[in-house]
């Protein structure tokens, strides 16, 4: 069990990456046409791994982020490297911040909100630099940033309900229980 | 001290790697590396499995919505059936005539721009970042899908194959087209003998319409006319429906006319698509084959 835990987390990451693409294919009638909601489920899950699972000396979230955001880049986009950079950089910042903060529900919610917004803005600027899109800032934040933020916070709460307790438990089994 | 230096070192190295990767993948390329092929295929396999229950539920929901309109649609369809019978007869006669003429001319199937083979495929995912207008389909090079083939639905053209792995391919949708991948088209005008020609040069994000640039200043171009691929670009076969002209305006210097075209196919809701394999080989392809045989010989 102890050795299996990182692989279990990796499997969940893979499923979330797949789900991101499948859910984009489903169009929900409540959403307006010009709204763009981009799913950052992998990022949110790794954020919770950082908050609830990680110890000072381990780098699971960072390593998983590099592997699976590379898969996102290859499968869903033409450009390799943008998601890798955005996810990993923000996760590293979150890791540094978590040394000062406690892990509880409010902190998790706050980190999700700030993290998703910062990541998406970072992706916006990187894609703007390499000319993937030419949207202006005002169009971007109205049509993409706000819907993306709300969409991801809703799913963040869902992921929190399912995994927060489990991750804390897994962390205990992995690092503290002697057997 | 040493610890700080090491961290800075790792940071610099990873930045350089990322910039290198972005530069590498930004090039225009149709061939993927083996690693990318592998990731595409294994992700595609998982996507297909996960997609099934989700597609089933949305399908049921849509069916319930559609049942309400069934009666009205049925009446309309009955009335159009008679027209279709007439058309079918005409079509048969014309096909026979064309076949005879072909025999007289002594040309093979692959000499005609219209001819193609169809490969059926299902959509298994859409790019999660909507700045990339691409979808993934469940057929790859093993089924005969190659980069640059055109992709259609029953209603019209939706895009072209961007890259293909052994078992999956990504399709670039029409609304992601820019000047580097334009389509040579004909506009069908009823009272003229020849169609007028032009190019689809891009997509207007704000109005969600395709931009059509005509080759000359065409006065007869007006809204409601249909736009078809002309087969002259070397990639797409002739006669695929692309869309309908919505409005026409002159360009800045009044030398050519520019039209906005509404795509016939719904690019938002795609489930089943058809990949078109053009029968006629282009000059490039012939050269490629020759090069390969030369390499094999030497």
């Amino acid at each position: 069990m102890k050795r299996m835990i990182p692989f279990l987390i990796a499997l969940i990451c893979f499923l979330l990456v797949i789900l991101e693409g499948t859910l984009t294919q489903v169009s929900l009638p409540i959403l307006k046409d010009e709204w763009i909601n981009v799913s950052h489920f992998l990022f949110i899950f790794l954020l919770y791994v950082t908050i609830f699972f990680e110890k000072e000396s381990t780098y699971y979230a960072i390593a998983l982020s590099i592997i699976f955001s590379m898969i996102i880049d290859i499968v869903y986009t033409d450009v390799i490297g943008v998601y890798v950079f955005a996810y990993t950089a923000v996760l590293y910042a979150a890791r540094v911040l978590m040394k000062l903060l406690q892990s509880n529900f409010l902190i998790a919610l706050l980190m999700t909100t700030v993290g998703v917004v910062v990541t998406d803005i970072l992706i916006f600027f990187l894609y703007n630099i390499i000319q993937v899109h030419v949207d202006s800032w005002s169009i971007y934040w109205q049509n993409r940033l706000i819907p993306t933020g709300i969409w991801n916070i809703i799913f963040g709460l869902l992921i929190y309900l399912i995994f927060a307790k489990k991750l804390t438990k897994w962390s205990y089994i992995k690092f503290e229980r002697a057997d | 001290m040493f610890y700080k230096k090491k961290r800075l070192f790792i940071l610099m190295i990873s930045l350089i790697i990322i910039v290198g990767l972005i530069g590498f993948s930004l090039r225009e390329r149709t061939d993927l590396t083996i690693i990318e092929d592998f990731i595409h295929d294994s992700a595609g396999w998982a996507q297909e499995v996960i997609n099934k229950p989700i597609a089933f539920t949305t399908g049921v929901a849509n069916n319930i919505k559609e049942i309400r309109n069934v009666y009205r649609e049925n009446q309309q369809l009955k009335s159009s059936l008679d027209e279709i019978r007439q058309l079918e007869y005409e079509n048969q006669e014309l096909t026979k005539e064309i076949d005879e003429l072909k025999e007289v001319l002594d040309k093979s199937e692959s000499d005609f721009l219209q001819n193609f083979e169809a490969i059926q495929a299902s959509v298994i995912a859409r790019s999660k970042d909507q700045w990339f207008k691409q979808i993934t389909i469940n057929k790859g090079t093993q089924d005969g899908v190659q980069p640059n083939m055109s992709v259609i639905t029953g209603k019209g053209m939706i895009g072209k194959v961007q890259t293909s792995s052994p078992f999956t391919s990504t399709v670039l949708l029409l609304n992601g087209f820019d000047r580097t991948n334009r389509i040579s088209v004909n506009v069908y005008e009823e009272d003229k003998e020849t169609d007028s020609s032009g190019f689809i040069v891009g997509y207007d994000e704000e109005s969600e319409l395709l931009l059509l640039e005509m080759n000359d200043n065409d006065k007869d171009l007006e809204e409601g006319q249909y736009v078809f691929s002309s087969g002259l670009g070397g990639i797409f076969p002739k006669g695929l429906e692309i869309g309908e002209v919505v409005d026409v305006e002159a360009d800045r210097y009044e030398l050519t006319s520019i039209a906005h075209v509404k795509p016939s196919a719904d690019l938002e809701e795609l489930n089943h698509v058809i990949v078109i394999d053009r029968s006629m080989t282009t000059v490039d392809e012939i050269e490629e084959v020759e090069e390969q045989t030369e390499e094999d010989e030497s």
Side-chain angles (χ1 to χ4, degrees):
Chain A
M1 182 66 196
K2 210 169 172 177
R3 282 208 194 130
M4 289 301 286
I5 286 169
F7 293 101
L8 192 63
I9 292 175
L11 182 72
I12 294 166
C13 288
F14 184 68
L15 289 179
L16 285 174
V17 170
I18 304 292
L19 201 65
E20 284 175 358
T22 316
L23 275 189
T24 328
Q25 170 74 355
V26 180
S27 57
L28 297 171
I30 37 165
L31 300 174
K32 269 204 234 162
D33 277 350
E34 64 264 27
W35 281 0
I36 298 176
N37 52 326
V38 180
S39 318
H40 295 299
F41 304 154
L42 171 74
F43 173 75
I44 296 169
F45 180 68
L46 287 176
L47 208 57
Y48 293 156
V49 171
T50 319
I51 296 172
F52 297 108
F53 183 79
E54 203 90 90
K55 290 277 167 260
E56 289 245 337
S57 56
T58 58
Y59 287 88
Y60 285 107
I62 304 284
L64 288 170
S65 158
I66 292 171
I67 298 169
F68 287 99
S69 44
M70 184 78 96
I71 293 181
I72 288 182
D73 270 333
I74 290 173
V75 175
Y76 297 127
T77 72
D78 296 340
V79 186
I80 304 169
V82 171
Y83 272 90
V84 178
F85 177 75
Y87 280 6
T88 316
V90 178
L91 277 175
Y92 189 79
R95 185 193 156 82
V96 174
L97 270 179
M98 280 320 292
K99 283 180 184 160
L100 311 171
L101 299 171
Q102 280 186 328
S103 19
N104 58 34
F105 174 70
L106 274 181
I107 293 292
L109 191 66
L110 189 76
M111 291 291 264
T112 318
T113 318
V114 176
V116 166
V117 169
V118 171
T119 319
D120 212 66
I121 292 174
L122 204 58
I123 290 167
F124 167 77
F125 278 116
L126 285 172
Y127 279 146
N128 206 356
I129 290 169
I130 55 177
Q131 297 276 303
V132 165
H133 69 91
V134 282
D135 294 355
S136 66
W137 170 254
S138 62
I139 290 179
Y140 163 74
W141 77 260
Q142 282 168 6
N143 284 351
R144 174 162 160 154
L145 187 59
I146 292 176
T148 301
I150 295 168
W151 169 255
N152 281 297
I153 289 167
I154 293 170
F155 263 88
L157 285 175
L158 209 64
I159 298 174
Y160 180 89
L161 287 177
I162 300 171
F163 289 115
K165 285 252 169 64
K166 287 211 174 77
L167 282 169
T168 325
K169 205 176 99 194
W170 289 342
S171 173
Y172 174 75
I173 295 173
K174 173 86 184 152
F175 300 117
E176 275 154 48
R177 204 171 69 182
D179 54 1
Chain B
M1 184 63 197
F2 175 72
Y3 185 64
K4 274 249 164 85
K5 251 188 194 164
K6 193 176 143 199
R7 210 191 301 184
L8 198 69
F9 189 68
I10 293 174
L11 187 77
M12 295 307 282
I13 293 280
S14 39
L15 268 182
I16 290 169
I17 291 175
I18 281 173
V19 171
L21 270 177
I22 293 176
F24 166 74
S25 53
L26 265 183
R27 291 177 305 145
E28 286 285 319
R29 60 199 184 118
T30 47
D31 297 323
L32 295 175
T33 55
I34 299 170
I35 305 168
E36 283 171 289
D37 274 344
F38 176 72
I39 291 175
H40 269 289
D41 284 345
S42 29
W45 180 80
Q47 273 162 344
E48 218 168 332
V49 172
I50 290 187
N51 203 19
K52 275 207 180 114
I54 292 180
F56 178 75
T57 358
T58 48
V60 168
N62 280 339
N63 283 347
I64 292 169
K65 235 188 279 169
E66 269 168 26
I67 283 173
R68 277 189 253 158
N69 300 328
V70 164
Y71 177 74
R72 201 151 29 89
E73 268 178 26
N74 203 9
Q75 296 295 328
Q76 281 177 351
L77 288 175
K78 267 182 192 161
S79 62
S80 58
L81 250 181
D82 295 330
E83 290 171 36
I84 286 175
R85 240 173 250 145
Q86 180 77 24
L87 272 177
E88 203 174 6
Y89 173 71
E90 272 176 38
N91 200 348
Q92 255 175 17
E93 290 297 304
L94 284 173
T95 333
K96 248 188 247 167
E97 210 173 303
I98 289 174
D99 280 342
E100 278 166 24
L101 288 172
K102 269 184 197 168
E103 269 173 38
V104 173
L105 281 171
D106 198 24
K107 280 190 162 186
S108 70
E109 287 280 301
S110 63
D111 286 331
F112 291 93
L113 284 171
Q114 284 94 332
N115 290 334
F116 57 77
E117 280 162 40
I119 304 164
Q120 306 282 341
S122 306
V123 178
I124 50 176
R126 189 178 272 271
S127 172
K128 78 162 198 154
D129 199 320
Q130 279 95 331
W131 277 321
F132 294 89
K133 318 283 187 202
Q134 60 188 33
I135 53 172
T136 314
I137 57 171
N138 65 347
K139 292 285 162 74
T141 47
Q142 294 286 326
D143 309 280
V145 178
Q146 294 293 337
N148 283 333
M149 283 179 180
S150 50
V151 183
I152 62 168
T153 63
K155 286 179 191 154
M157 188 159 138
I158 57 161
K160 67 164 190 177
V161 177
Q162 193 170 32
T163 56
S164 54
S165 307
F167 302 104
T168 56
S169 317
T170 52
V171 175
L172 181 67
L173 296 177
L174 275 182
N175 51 10
F177 275 40
D178 54 15
R179 275 184 184 268
T180 52
N181 31 36
R182 45 182 165 176
I183 318 164
S184 167
V185 295
N186 283 338
V187 181
Y188 172 66
E189 289 167 2
E190 269 182 17
D191 33 281
K192 269 170 70 176
E193 290 210 344
T194 50
D195 296 335
S196 43
S197 60
F199 287 100
I200 298 280
V201 291
Y203 185 76
D204 187 18
E205 291 275 345
E206 270 172 43
S207 57
E208 298 188 337
L209 296 169
L210 293 163
L211 285 175
L212 167 63
E213 220 175 76
M214 301 306 290
N215 287 347
D216 44 20
N217 196 353
D218 191 344
K219 297 235 163 37
D220 297 324
L221 190 70
E222 51 190 48
E223 62 172 82
Q225 287 167 338
Y226 282 95
V227 181
F228 294 88
S229 64
S230 73
L232 299 179
I235 299 171
F236 307 113
K238 190 178 176 179
L240 298 181
E241 183 177 334
I242 291 174
E244 189 184 340
V245 175
V246 176
D247 62 57
V248 185
E249 57 190 52
D251 80 335
R252 256 186 299 172
Y253 310 107
E254 309 243 333
L255 291 172
T256 60
S257 22
I258 289 181
H260 286 99
V261 177
K262 187 179 185 302
S264 308
D266 184 1
L267 298 175
E268 294 302 318
E269 274 188 50
L270 297 166
N271 290 316
H272 297 285
V273 297
I274 303 163
V275 183
I276 298 292
D277 185 1
R278 200 167 94 143
S279 308
M280 183 188 252
T281 43
T282 57
V283 182
D284 294 350
E285 281 164 3
I286 294 170
E287 275 173 5
E288 245 170 56
V289 172
E290 276 172 4
E291 268 172 30
Q292 268 185 354
T293 45
E294 272 170 31
E295 274 171 26
D296 293 342
E297 279 163 13
S298 60

